[in-house]
Amino acid sequence: MSKIIAGIDFEAPSHVVARQLIGVTVLVNGVGGRIVETEAYDREEPASHCYIGETPRNFSMFGPPGRSYVYRSHGIHWCLNFVCRENGHGAGVLLRAIEPLVGLEQMRARRGLDDERLLCSGPGRLCQALGVTRADNNLPLDGPPFQVSAPDPAAVIEVLAGPRIGISKAVELPWRFGLAGSRFLSKPFRQ
């Protein structure tokens, strides 16, 4: 049985889900915005946390699909992923950036800055602005504190693809996706 949230089948491959998430709205405890940048990861490629198998750190990435995987990057920043593929596979989509739309004052207070372009442009900034911590790990995306909503059907969403950022393995995979023309991306796409 598929896990459909916001019209997306989270049992699909992570690079398919990552592309489909562009334009989707995500809120955490009522704070968030439109997803404008994602990266896909799968256990079969060495840049993924799942490549080495299941561990106490990455267990939630092995499913079931449609759940959160939250980890700390470099011991500093929390990062939020959406789990994909069938239970036990090990795949997910890292949320790299959102366009802040709801709860901007809370985001500004959490981030200590006013520039809305910098509130959620990067996975660590995004989690700080939304208040995501390890307590949000392994939770279903279709229930509190999460709210994931499909884009307006009339919205025109042009998706760009390119190499992922900040990795040294499997760099040839074009598994970073972004909303064309968005000023909220963590880093521009090369044209």
Side-chain angles (χ1 to χ4, degrees):
M1 180 172 202
S2 294
K3 182 63 174 188
I4 309 292
I5 302 171
I8 298 171
D9 181 358
F10 278 81
E11 283 197 15
S14 58
H15 65 280
V16 172
V17 173
R19 178 181 284 276
Q20 292 175 340
L21 282 169
I22 301 301
V24 165
T25 298
V26 61
L27 304 179
V28 180
N29 290 313
V31 175
R34 178 173 30 185
I35 299 171
V36 297
E37 186 181 356
T38 61
E39 284 182 343
Y41 290 90
D42 186 274
R43 74 169 185 201
E44 296 173 355
E45 50 88 13
S48 174
H49 289 179
C50 297
Y51 188 69
I52 60 169
E54 189 172 336
T55 68
R57 177 187 187 212
N58 71 11
F59 76 94
S60 58
M61 207 167 170
F62 285 85
R67 294 180 79 86
S68 61
Y69 166 51
V70 178
Y71 70 92
R72 195 177 286 277
S73 176
H74 305 293
I76 303 169
H77 305 289
W78 295 111
C79 294
L80 173 62
N81 295 258
F82 289 176
V83 177
C84 304
R85 294 285 308 254
E86 67 276 5
N87 199 27
H89 179 83
V93 175
L94 172 66
L95 300 190
R96 284 202 57 84
I98 67 169
E99 177 183 346
L101 298 172
V102 180
L104 270 71
E105 290 312 310
Q106 284 179 281
M107 290 188 218
R108 286 181 174 116
R110 288 171 177 159
R111 294 271 301 121
L113 54 86
D114 289 326
D115 186 347
E116 76 177 34
R117 196 196 71 73
L118 297 177
L119 290 176
C120 304
S121 64
R125 291 173 176 174
L126 182 155
C127 284
Q128 184 180 17
L130 301 185
V132 172
T133 68
R134 183 71 175 174
D136 299 305
N137 185 49
N138 200 34
L139 299 177
L141 298 175
D142 55 357
F146 297 102
Q147 182 180 346
V148 181
S149 308
D152 178 341
V156 176
I157 299 172
E158 181 186 346
V159 179
L160 303 172
R164 296 173 292 184
I165 297 173
I167 58 172
S168 58
K169 299 173 183 172
V171 295
E172 71 283 356
L173 294 173
W175 283 6
R176 175 178 170 237
F177 302 94
L179 180 63
S182 175
R183 63 189 191 98
F184 298 96
L185 299 174
S186 67
K187 185 176 180 181
F189 280 76
R190 288 187 227 154
Q191 300 297 333

